[in-house]
Amino acid sequence: MKRYLIILGALLGGIVATYGQNLDVYHFMRTSPFRNFDTPSCETIYDGYVSLPGGQVHVGGNLGSIRYNNLFATDNEGYPTTLTATRFANSLSKNNYVGAISSMELLGFGFRVKKKFFITMDYRLRFNADIRYSKALFGLPVYGNMAYVDDPADMNISANVSTYQEIGISVRHKINDRMSWGVRPKVLFGMANLRADKVSALLTTDPVNYGLAMQYDALIKASAIMPYSLTFDKENGFSFDYSTKSSDIIDNLFKNPGVGIDLGFTFKPLPAFNVSFSVLDLGFINWKTNTTQMQSVLYDAGRFYEDGSLVFGGMTQDDIQYLIDGGKIGDYLDTLAYYFPLEVGPTKSYVTATPVRVVAQGDYEFAKHHTVSAAVQFRFASRYVQPSLTIAYDGSFFDIIDICVAYTMQRKSFDNLGFAIGLNLGYLNVYAGTQNIVSLLSFKDSSQLTATAGIVFNWGHFKNWREKYPKEKKKVEVNK
């Protein structure tokens, strides 16, 4: 049982976050067979390939506006000395985003059929998280409520975090020398989800008497293949219990079904230039196993309740005398818990959508083996749009070494310089890269860290390479 808990914990908590979910650097490497996961209609230079379990792994990390240099003051040697809460709060936007993505291929292979079709099959573990929070969530404890006299402190957070299995079969069809299309229908099976549509608290400070009024609202749903129970009461707070039977987890592996699809089209108006359009991860998951709902309720528990809000106009003389006589402030605050209970219990199945991505890309092969690309991506998640722009160069040398450099611009993130290298060693293709070299050199100056690596066995690479770039025959002059 422990090994299943370790695996599930690693998938949910051990995978670090990446902001914006931009196109990874391997996407632009023509020698990587995995580039068709972002462009289903793209050309594959192999006649076939097979990847081992874990043959392609992509993880990343970014905390958006939360940066080390905004959190800590450091000494001359770079060690943190003090927590700079005000500087951190000032660095936040009104609304902030932290996301997460990870993908690991457990099984995959692909093969060409009659030169017109390329078919792939893959089984992956995937992790997605989208978390948004307001500046006031940290600003209120830093600035105090007096900073929000004219503008109420709107503290809110929303999240959608999912771990799921993905089984896909793709078909890429070359219509002619100028056009091709690709499609990847996918079956999804959810493993764990946490969905918080709205967790918010609105704190208003009266400009006349500085009394406080707070309204709050929360609706959280969760599901997991591991059987668990979650309860809440005013006296003891939350209590959590879970099953220790591995059979319970295995039985639920395929009980949260979903579907998805990737679509792509490529057009080549010029021999050395092509454009492609893709719609990726269009789908949903129906969560059925061990579903739980947590919902906020504001009770009329006494004199602080008024018209659906908790209103605090100051402490009475009796309250103050109680503290003077040795009463604990904690005892006083405990009474506030009666106003904010949570209703926790089982709920019906619910549906979450997978984050949809739309990608438009252009590639220009300005010299043999050398290509420059530009790609625009729009990611739709949690009712928000996350745009990014990537410029990339990919070059192959001696038919063996593949080098790719990519630069990506995103909101509040302009230091994303990526680098990757691939080696084609006969039937073996190995590559590794990062989307942000800055984070490797100085993590204090960056909020993003991504890494990707892959190893596959392939065949047909050099044959197809020679067919596309035949060697020019040297002309021999004969002296007459």
Side-chain angles (χ1 to χ4, degrees), residues 1 4 48 75 102 176 182 209 247 265 274 299 321 329 331 369 379 386 391 423 446 472 474-475:
M1 177 60 194
Y4 295 106
D75 57 23
S102 182
N176 51 45
N209 58 24
S247 58
F265 178 78
N274 66 264
Y299 283 172
Q321 187 63 47
I329 187 65
D331 296 336
H369 308 172
R379 188 174 183 272
Q386 303 161 354
I391 308 296
L423 299 176
S446 176
E472 297 180 0
K474 295 182 179 180
K475 296 181 181 180

Side-chain angles (χ1 to χ4, degrees), residues 11 25 44 77 106 158 198 218 253 330 334 371 377 385:
L11 290 171
V25 64
T44 302
E77 297 181 357
L106 301 180
S158 62
K198 186 179 183 182
L253 272 176
D334 283 344
T371 304
Q377 177 181 251
V385 181

Side-chain angles (χ1 to χ4, degrees), residues 35 38 58 60 91 114 128 134 148 194 196-197 269 348 355 458 461:
R35 62 198 299 257
D38 292 324
H58 172 62
S91 69
K114 295 183 179 180
N128 278 317
S134 64
Y148 297 91
L194 176 67
D197 289 333
K348 297 179 180 179
N458 62 81
H461 164 226

Side-chain angles (χ1 to χ4, degrees), residues 6 11 22 29 39 47 54 70 77 98 111 123 162 174 187 191 246 253 267 290 390-391 419 433 435 445 459:
I6 292 173
L11 290 171
N22 53 301
M29 301 178 69
T39 310
D47 286 337
N70 290 331
E77 297 181 357
V98 173
F111 55 90
Y123 173 41
S162 299
K174 181 180 179 182
V187 179
M191 298 177 66
S246 59
L253 272 176
F267 174 65
N290 308 306
T390 303
I391 308 296
F419 175 81
Q435 194 65 20
D445 299 323
W459 58 93

Side-chain angles (χ1 to χ4, degrees), residues 28 38 129 317 333 424 439 470:
F28 300 96
D38 292 324
Q317 183 176 353
L333 294 178
N424 294 283
S439 61

